[in-house]
């Protein structure tokens, strides 16, 4: 048994002894510490904790009330009893007011033991109660902390009538309310009007009450009216007697997961569509090749048909290779494996090449191509092959998504620090809902379209990525279906080269861009588009160009222009290319003329014949523009070779 420590303030030894005896008779565990005046009383209080303080009221040099005050300050929980001689009633009441536990008069010491016992019991009870209270308090605090630290869950308690009784910090966070705002509101406010009308808020509670719990996923409404997809769990709160006291409801915002799930589903759907389309895109050329191959095996097939079959095979194989290239490209680009080989290049040259690449296709679809490259210097830091790919792609799309005989305009100009390139067509256009999507992988506006020129919906994805890799942007605008489209690419213009000691030479104007300014070329071709396209390209490269569409025009043109070079088609109406060449060779004023055949006929026999007719070179269509340029430059500027 623990001893009970008593501090006894008593100046009279006799009284002290008497009181001690009295008390120890009743409670032998008491251990008395005696103080006689202020100093040792204070010293005792400072030195340890006592279970009880007994004090005489009237002390020499120190008084009972001061002793009481000191005890209340230094040992507020310790019961304090006055054991005193006479104590007037008023004084007695005053001591109780000041916090004394009780008082016993010295002539009634029989009351002392019970009073002490009662004081000790009450003190113990008080301590126990306080401990229990603070434990409860602490538990509640932890509870709150736990609830409030869960920021992503709304945790609510709901009274049996369906009103919110408490709401965690997470509830305010998830539901968009301020602290306290939810209390007393019906849970209905968290549901959509449709769910509310359908009686879901009430049904959810009754069902949870009946089954022990209930969960589901549905749309919830935040304070600002916005919706989120939440998963909720409701559990009934029962007291010890099994009586329903209310419910707890936990709601978690699942919008993010739902979005991810939907994105996955969408990606999956797009992948399936893509595979279906890929199969379709591959089957078309394959079936054309199969038929052509079978046809070419027919015994006794006329030459022209056999030639056409071979043409089909080679075209379709080209088409297939392009699809495969695109596919490989897009996977390398999305995996960011593509490296640029940047150089300081003239955008005009890049655009000229892109035009050249697509010219056969434009011819086939009888599109007119307008070019406007202005007179600005169009220097970029970039990978010429990749940039050409971007613009060839935009031009091809413009040609593809425009009815035959349409018009496509390619322009480039400097705007501030940017070079702005526009490809505009007057084709089928793009509806507003698709505008934002055309750059997405596998995105295609209308898959039901006759896709004879079909692609895989990856060209623009590649184009955008490549432009971005060059620090540029690409955007599209269209006024809607059948109103044409404009694709705009912005690239940072190359900074002027590092300043040198010499004053910089003026930037070359467009006509100076070629190696040999002012060189004159005559193009003779009865196909106006074909002649026109080549003329544009050659002008871009700085040549002076004249076109002629038949033999007569050719001879007249040669006389007036006095060209250094004639690009001469062989299959001309009336006078054919051989005759025109022979004629030009006979002209006295055209001694140094270079005559180049550009023809669909590549056989040895055709080549020999053109040599005999006086041609210097024989090129087979489609002519690679770079090769042609090289040839032209070697003829007009021999020092450059
Ligand atoms: P595709 O291989 O289908 O041409 P792209 O990525 O190049 O793929 O283009 C994606 C889609 O954008 C096309 O399928 C087409 O619907 C639309 N589109 C692209 N360019 C044009 C354009 N100039 N006019 C109209 N629609 C276009």
């Amino acid at each position: 048994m623990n001893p009970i420590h008593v501090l006894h303030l008593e100046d009279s030894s006799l009284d002290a002894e008497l009181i001690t005896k009295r008390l120890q008779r009743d409670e032998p565990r008491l251990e008395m510490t005696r103080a006689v005046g202020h100093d040792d009383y204070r010293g005792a209080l400072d030195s340890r904790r006592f279970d009880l303080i007994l004090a005489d009221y009237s002390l020499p040099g120190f008084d009972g009330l001061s002793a009481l005050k000191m005890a209340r300050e230094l040992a507020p929980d310790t019961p304090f009893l006055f054991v005193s001689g006479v104590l007037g009633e008023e004084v007695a009441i005053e001591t109780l007011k000041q916090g004394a536990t009780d008082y016993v008069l010295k002539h009634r010491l029989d009351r002392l033991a019970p009073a002490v016992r009662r004081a000790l019991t009450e003190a113990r009870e008080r301590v126990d109660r306080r401990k229990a209270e603070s434990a409860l308090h602490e538990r509640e605090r932890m509870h709150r902390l736990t609830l409030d630290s869960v920021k992503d869950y709304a945790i609510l308690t709901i009274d049996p009538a369906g009103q919110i009784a408490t709401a965690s910090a997470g509830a305010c966070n998830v539901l968009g309310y301020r602290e306290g705002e939810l209390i007393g509101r019906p849970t209905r406010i968290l549901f959509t009007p449709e769910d509310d009308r359908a009686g879901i808020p009430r049904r959810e509670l009754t069902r949870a009450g009946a089954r022990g719990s209930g969960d589901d996923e549905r749309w919830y409404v935040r304070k600002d009216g916005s919706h989120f997809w939440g998963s909720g769990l409701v559990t009934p709160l029962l007291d010890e007697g099994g009586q329903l006291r209310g419910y707890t409801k936990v709601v978690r915002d699942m919008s993010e997961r739902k979005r991810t799930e939907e994105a996955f589903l969408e990606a999956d759907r797009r992948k399936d569509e893509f595979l279906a389309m890929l199969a379709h895109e591959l089957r078309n050329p394959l079936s054309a090749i199969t038929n052509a191959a079978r046809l070419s095996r027919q015994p006794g097939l006329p030459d022209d048909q056999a030639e056409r079959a071979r043409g089909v095979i080679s075209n379709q194989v080209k088409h297939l290779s392009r699809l495969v290239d695109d596919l490989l490209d897009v996977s390398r680009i999305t995996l960011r494996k593509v490296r640029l080989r940047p150089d300081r290049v003239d955008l005009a040259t890049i655009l000229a090449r892109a035009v050249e690449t697509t010219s056969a296709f434009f011819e086939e679809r009888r599109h007119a191509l307008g070019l406007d490259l202005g007179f600005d210097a169009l220097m970029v830091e970039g990978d010429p092959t990749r940039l050409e790919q971007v613009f060839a792609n935009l031009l091809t799309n413009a040609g593809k998504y425009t009815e035959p005989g349409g018009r496509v305009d390619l322009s480039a100009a400097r705007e501030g620090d940017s070079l702005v390139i526009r490809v505009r067509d007057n084709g089928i256009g793009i509806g507003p809902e698709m505008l934002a999507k055309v750059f997405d992988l596998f995105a295609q506006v209308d898959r039901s379209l006759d896709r004879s020129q079909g692609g895989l919906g990856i060209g623009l994805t590649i184009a955008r990525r490549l432009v971005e890799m060059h620090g540029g942007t690409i955007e599209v605008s269209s006024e809607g279906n059948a109103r044409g489209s404009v694709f705009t690419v912005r690239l940072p213009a190359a900074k002027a080269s590092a300043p040198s000691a010499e004053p910089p030479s003026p930037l070359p104007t467009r006509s100076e861009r070629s190696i040999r300014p002012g060189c004159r070329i005559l193009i003779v071709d009865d196909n106006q588009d074909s002649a026109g396209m080549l003329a544009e390209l050659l002008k871009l490269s700085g040549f002076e160009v004249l076109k002629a569409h038949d033999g007569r025009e050719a001879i007249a043109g040669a006389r007036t222009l006095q060209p250094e070079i004639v690009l001469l088609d062989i299959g001309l109406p009336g006078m054919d290319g051989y005759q025109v060449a022979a004629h030009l060779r006979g002209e006295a004023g055209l001694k140094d003329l270079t005559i180049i055949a550009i023809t669909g006929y590549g056989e040895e026999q055709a080549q020999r014949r053109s040599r005999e007719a006086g041609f210097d070179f024989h090129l087979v269509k489609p002519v690679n523009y770079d090769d042609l340029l090289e040839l032209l430059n070697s003829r007009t500027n021999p020092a450059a070779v």
Side-chain angles (χ1 to χ4, degrees):
M1 279 285 195
N2 291 336
I4 299 168
H5 294 284
V6 179
L7 175 58
H8 191 188
L9 176 60
E10 175 60 73
D11 60 328
S12 152
S13 317
L14 212 62
D15 283 358
E17 218 170 293
L18 187 68
I19 289 167
T20 303
K21 251 191 209 128
R22 268 297 181 106
L23 286 175
Q24 282 179 336
R25 195 168 64 201
D26 197 62
E27 177 51 271
R29 283 188 298 153
L30 291 186
E31 263 179 27
M32 308 296 286
T33 301
R34 165 123 181 266
V36 292
H38 171 278
D39 291 349
D40 49 353
Y41 176 69
R42 166 92 211 206
L45 279 177
D46 280 340
S47 70
R48 61 159 306 150
R49 206 191 67 80
F50 289 96
D51 299 303
L52 178 70
I53 299 170
L54 301 178
D56 194 0
Y57 186 77
S58 41
L59 300 152
F62 191 34
D63 70 290
L65 273 183
S66 305
L68 172 61
K69 212 159 159 202
M70 198 184 288
R72 289 300 62 129
E73 260 168 40
L74 298 175
D77 294 331
T78 308
F80 187 106
L81 266 74
F82 278 116
V83 186
S84 188
V86 268
L87 203 61
E89 196 171 338
E90 261 170 48
V91 179
I93 290 171
E94 183 57 25
T95 62
L96 293 181
K97 265 198 203 147
Q98 297 289 325
T101 312
D102 205 349
Y103 65 89
V104 176
L105 298 177
K106 282 184 180 169
H107 63 270
R108 295 288 313 273
L109 278 187
D110 53 323
R111 276 196 58 222
L112 183 60
V116 164
R117 229 178 292 126
R118 192 168 55 242
L120 285 174
T121 313
E122 278 173 11
R124 206 179 317 112
E125 281 172 0
R126 213 169 32 244
V127 168
D128 287 351
R129 199 162 50 241
R130 195 160 318 132
K131 265 194 201 149
E133 269 168 11
S134 87
L136 188 69
H137 199 78
E138 181 59 13
R139 261 207 314 279
E140 257 173 22
R141 205 174 65 89
M142 290 307 289
H143 218 125
R144 246 308 93 205
L145 271 178
T146 314
L147 286 187
D148 287 351
S149 66
V150 184
K151 291 274 181 285
D152 304 335
Y153 290 79
I155 305 173
L156 306 167
T157 56
I158 300 165
D159 67 19
Q163 287 190 340
I164 298 171
T166 68
S168 67
C172 297
N173 180 37
V174 170
L175 299 164
Y177 286 85
R178 278 203 303 276
E179 202 189 328
E181 270 184 338
L182 280 164
I183 313 300
R185 312 281 299 273
T187 55
R188 292 180 22 230
I189 59 166
L190 310 178
F191 289 80
T192 61
E194 304 81 64
D195 281 358
D196 186 21
R197 273 197 297 278
I200 306 268
R202 190 69 240 173
R203 199 176 325 138
E204 176 181 84
L205 299 182
T206 42
R207 193 171 292 170
R211 295 186 187 166
S213 80
D215 58 348
D216 66 3
E217 292 200 359
R218 62 177 65 255
W219 289 105
Y220 284 89
V221 182
R222 294 193 192 90
K223 183 184 173 191
D224 64 7
S226 60
H227 289 190
F228 70 91
W229 184 258
S231 111
L233 172 69
V234 182
T235 342
L237 287 173
L238 304 177
D239 65 13
E240 304 82 27
Q243 278 294 314
L244 182 72
R245 291 284 163 209
Y247 308 86
T248 56
K249 171 157 184 152
V250 182
V251 180
R252 186 175 181 198
D253 184 344
M254 306 293 278
S255 309
E256 198 52 47
R257 208 180 73 185
K258 191 165 172 73
R259 264 196 292 278
T260 320
E261 268 172 22
E262 276 168 3
F264 264 124
L265 285 179
E266 170 63 16
D268 215 40
R269 196 181 56 73
R270 290 234 307 260
K271 189 197 70 197
D272 286 347
E273 269 181 31
F274 168 73
L275 287 177
M277 188 185 48
L278 180 59
H280 176 252
E281 292 303 319
L282 293 176
R283 222 171 261 136
N284 270 348
L286 285 176
S287 80
I289 291 171
T290 313
N291 291 338
R294 171 174 300 194
L295 185 71
S296 67
R297 276 202 306 272
Q298 295 281 319
L301 188 72
D303 275 358
D304 60 335
Q305 279 195 32
E307 178 60 32
R308 220 175 309 135
R310 278 195 294 277
V312 165
I313 291 176
S314 105
N315 275 340
Q316 296 302 324
V317 165
K318 258 189 230 144
H319 181 63
L320 279 176
S321 336
R322 211 172 48 235
L323 287 182
V324 174
D325 284 348
D326 271 4
L327 274 176
L328 291 180
D329 238 13
V330 82
S331 84
R332 285 171 55 225
I333 282 177
T334 44
L335 294 173
R336 305 193 180 247
K337 280 199 184 148
V338 165
R339 281 270 203 85
L340 296 182
R341 295 207 194 92
D343 203 351
R344 200 180 149 83
V345 280
D346 186 354
L347 193 65
T349 315
I350 291 171
L351 294 177
R353 289 214 197 106
V355 168
E356 199 261 329
T357 313
T358 48
S359 63
F361 175 55
F362 269 60
E363 245 174 72
E364 188 185 305
R365 290 186 62 91
R366 293 182 285 103
H367 290 316
L369 175 69
L371 282 171
D372 176 10
L373 303 195
F375 288 92
D376 296 324
L378 301 176
M379 299 305 288
V380 280
E381 288 292 337
D383 183 327
T385 318
R386 291 306 192 168
L387 288 176
E388 180 190 329
Q389 184 182 359
V390 169
F391 297 111
N393 188 275
L394 295 181
L395 286 170
T396 308
N397 277 354
K400 252 188 339 192
Y401 300 107
T402 299
E403 294 300 325
R407 181 174 176 87
V408 176
D409 284 287
L410 170 65
S411 70
R414 197 181 163 121
E415 287 179 17
D417 288 338
S418 305
L419 302 182
V420 181
I421 305 96
R422 287 202 173 80
V423 180
R424 175 190 304 271
D425 62 57
N426 64 351
I428 62 172
I430 301 171
E433 69 295 342
M434 271 311 284
L435 272 182
K437 299 195 191 144
V438 290
F439 295 104
D440 292 350
L441 194 54
F442 309 144
Q444 291 183 321
V445 174
D446 184 0
R447 298 214 160 132
S448 63
L449 217 69
D450 165 30
R451 301 191 49 85
S452 55
Q453 300 297 338
L456 295 170
I458 54 189
L460 287 179
T461 311
I462 297 178
R464 179 173 61 182
R465 177 81 194 115
L466 288 175
V467 168
E468 286 171 354
M469 285 171 77
H470 280 87
T473 59
I474 181 168
E475 50 187 41
V476 59
S477 66
S478 170
E479 286 176 18
N481 291 334
R483 309 284 294 272
S485 315
V486 187
F487 283 82
T488 306
V489 174
R490 277 166 219 278
L491 292 169
K495 302 245 169 0
S497 336
S500 61
E502 288 178 27
S505 55
L507 285 167
T509 62
R510 187 166 52 161
S511 63
E512 286 170 346
R513 276 195 192 118
S514 77
I515 299 168
R516 169 83 185 271
C519 171
R520 296 177 302 277
I521 296 182
L522 174 66
I523 299 175
V524 190
D525 194 332
D526 61 329
N527 182 324
Q528 308 236 358
D529 285 341
S530 176
M533 201 82 65
L534 187 55
E536 288 299 338
L537 284 172
L538 288 172
K539 279 186 206 161
L540 273 179
S541 303
F543 293 97
E544 202 175 306
V545 182
L546 192 72
K547 286 178 290 182
H549 300 301
D550 58 30
R552 246 175 359 91
E553 269 182 40
I555 292 160
R559 283 183 189 139
T560 47
L561 183 71
Q562 295 278 309
E564 275 99 333
I565 291 169
V566 177
L567 298 176
L568 183 51
D569 186 20
I570 289 184
L572 293 173
M575 198 190 293
D576 70 16
Y578 300 121
Q579 291 168 302
V580 177
H583 205 105
L584 291 175
R585 283 288 172 233
E587 291 272 319
L590 297 171
K591 282 266 160 357
D592 299 327
L593 188 64
T594 302
I595 307 180
I596 302 174
I598 294 192
T599 163
Y601 308 108
E603 312 83 32
E604 178 55 32
Q605 188 199 358
Q607 300 212 15
R608 188 164 16 91
R609 216 177 136 197
S610 69
R611 236 183 349 262
E612 286 163 6
F615 282 93
D616 298 296
F617 298 94
H618 184 103
L619 301 180
V620 182
K621 284 181 184 175
V623 177
N624 178 301
Y625 187 69
D626 284 335
D627 295 345
L628 177 64
L629 259 192
E630 202 173 309
L631 175 60
L632 294 179
N633 284 325
S634 73
R635 295 305 293 174
T636 56
N637 189 9
V641 197

